[in-house]
Amino acid sequence: MKVYVVWICSLLIALAAQSADVAKTSAKSAAQAKPVATQMVDAKISRGAVLTFLNESNKIFLEGDKGKPAEAIDYSSAAGMVKNWLNFRFLEVDTEIDRGWYERVYKMLDYLAKSKSFIELAKMNGRLKTEEYKKVLNNFNEVSKRFPELLKDPTPVEKKKLEKLREEKQKWELEKKREKAKSGSIKEDE
């Protein structure tokens, strides 16, 4: 019996040491990595693609997906897409829609996703008569009504700001072209 206890203790100590090494490595990697929120993605998207995606998503929210009501994952997926767009370097230039509008859309979708998840869980657990459930359901329904209104009128980027952003994009594109020319992947006169 004593041998068994000693063996378990030594196993636990070994696992703890291994976990500490993994934690140190993870912490070091995290410290060296650039925070996701500050990374800018060199991708391009159009205003039409944004509005089509959001309107199609809203249609799924209202009508359901393949005969089933929309689920929390539908809202979460749409929120994730908008959050991804917020990392695009020239989002406002490419779509001519103000960044603040995207942030409002994201916040609404994120709220709807979390609320829908709560509602689904309450249904599974048979907790439909609680005050908290009723409150979340009412708020969910209210935000669901406001979401299509937000989509109807995207906030345009102010003219001066848009001009400045266009200039920045042109400078950035020119710099990228020069870098490619230096590396020999394209000719400088292209």
Side-chain angles (χ1 to χ4, degrees), residues 29-98:
S29 297
Q32 292 173 343
K34 202 176 198 183
V36 175
T38 62
Q39 291 180 348
M40 299 305 281
V41 178
D42 299 335
K44 185 174 180 168
I45 189 161
S46 71
R47 178 186 187 97
V50 165
L51 296 177
T52 299
F53 173 80
L54 291 172
N55 284 315
E56 288 297 317
S57 294
N58 189 53
K59 187 176 177 183
I60 290 171
F61 303 155
L62 296 173
E63 299 172 8
D65 188 23
K66 300 176 185 172
K68 292 194 247 176
E71 297 177 351
I73 190 74
D74 297 316
Y75 293 95
S76 185
S77 296
M81 182 63 78
V82 176
K83 187 174 184 177
N84 186 41
W85 293 339
L86 284 165
N87 291 323
F88 285 16
R89 183 179 302 270
F90 297 108
L91 177 66
E92 291 177 300
V93 174
D94 295 338
T95 63
E96 297 183 2
I97 299 172
D98 188 74

Side-chain angles (χ1 to χ4, degrees), residues 118-150:
F118 176 87
I119 291 166
E120 290 172 358
L121 188 60
K123 285 180 181 178
M124 285 190 295
N125 292 330
R127 299 187 184 247
L128 302 179
K129 295 183 181 179
T130 66
E131 285 302 314
E132 187 178 17
Y133 172 80
K134 291 174 186 175
K135 182 180 175 184
V136 171
L137 182 62
N138 286 337
N139 289 341
F140 175 83
N141 289 333
E142 182 61 35
V143 173
S144 292
K145 289 176 189 173
R146 289 193 338 244
F147 184 68
E149 296 301 316
L150 181 60

Side-chain angles (χ1 to χ4, degrees), residues 24-35:
K24 276 190 223 172
T25 305
S26 297
K28 187 176 179 182
S29 297
Q32 292 173 343
K34 202 176 198 183

Side-chain angles (χ1 to χ4, degrees), residues 95-190:
T95 63
E96 297 183 2
I97 299 172
D98 188 74
R99 180 175 212 68
W101 181 82
Y102 286 100
E103 290 167 354
R104 286 190 305 277
V105 169
Y106 170 72
K107 285 178 184 176
M108 268 191 177
L109 288 170
D110 187 52
Y111 175 80
L112 290 168
K114 290 174 182 173
S115 297
K116 187 68 173 182
S117 181
F118 176 87
I119 291 166
E120 290 172 358
L121 188 60
K123 285 180 181 178
M124 285 190 295
N125 292 330
R127 299 187 184 247
L128 302 179
K129 295 183 181 179
T130 66
E131 285 302 314
E132 187 178 17
Y133 172 80
K134 291 174 186 175
K135 182 180 175 184
V136 171
L137 182 62
N138 286 337
N139 289 341
F140 175 83
N141 289 333
E142 182 61 35
V143 173
S144 292
K145 289 176 189 173
R146 289 193 338 244
F147 184 68
E149 296 301 316
L150 181 60
L151 297 183
K152 285 182 184 175
D153 193 25
T155 308
V157 180
E158 294 176 8
K159 288 184 182 185
K160 286 184 180 182
K161 182 179 178 183
L162 187 59
E163 288 173 14
K164 182 181 175 188
L165 292 170
R166 284 184 178 144
E167 288 174 14
E168 287 177 21
K169 183 176 180 180
Q170 287 175 340
K171 288 177 186 176
W172 181 83
E173 287 174 336
L174 184 60
E175 183 62 34
K176 285 292 183 184
K177 190 174 178 180
R178 286 183 183 146
E179 287 175 12
K180 284 184 180 180
K182 285 181 183 178
S183 69
S185 59
I186 63 166
K187 296 178 184 173
E188 194 154 349
D189 60 336
E190 284 184 4

